[in-house]
Amino acid sequence: VDMTYLKNVILKLLETAGEVGALLPVVAMLLQFSPDELNKCQHGVLSNVASLPATALSDGGSTPNSFFGRFTF
């Protein structure tokens, strides 16, 4: 596995909630998730992203919070 590629995919996954669905299969392939592990991740991500409130943008639109919104630092 090209670690730079994996690093960039993980960074993009964590930066944007909207692309989790597209990036999760890539991460699962790189980390050799079993079908059950991928299913659990997809279910968890979908339920968590759906429960995140949208944040207002300065232009009046809204966008989902980033994946980091799920964590406390």
Side-chain angles (χ1 to χ4, degrees):
V1 172
D2 180 354
M3 294 307 286
T4 301
Y5 179 72
L6 177 59
K7 173 188 165 187
N8 289 331
V9 170
I10 296 291
L11 284 172
K12 189 67 171 179
L13 179 74
L14 296 173
E15 288 173 356
T16 59
E19 295 188 35
V20 172
L23 294 173
L24 187 57
V26 175
V27 172
M29 185 223 21
L30 292 171
L31 298 177
Q32 300 178 352
F33 285 8
S34 70
D36 185 49
E37 290 168 331
L38 176 58
N39 189 16
K40 287 178 185 178
C41 290
Q42 288 173 327
H43 178 71
V45 166
L46 290 175
S47 64
N48 285 325
V49 169
S51 68
L52 289 175
T55 55
L57 297 175
S58 59
D59 66 0
S62 67
T63 186
N65 288 334
S66 78
F67 191 77
F68 284 122
R70 297 176 45 199
F71 302 98
T72 304
F73 295 98

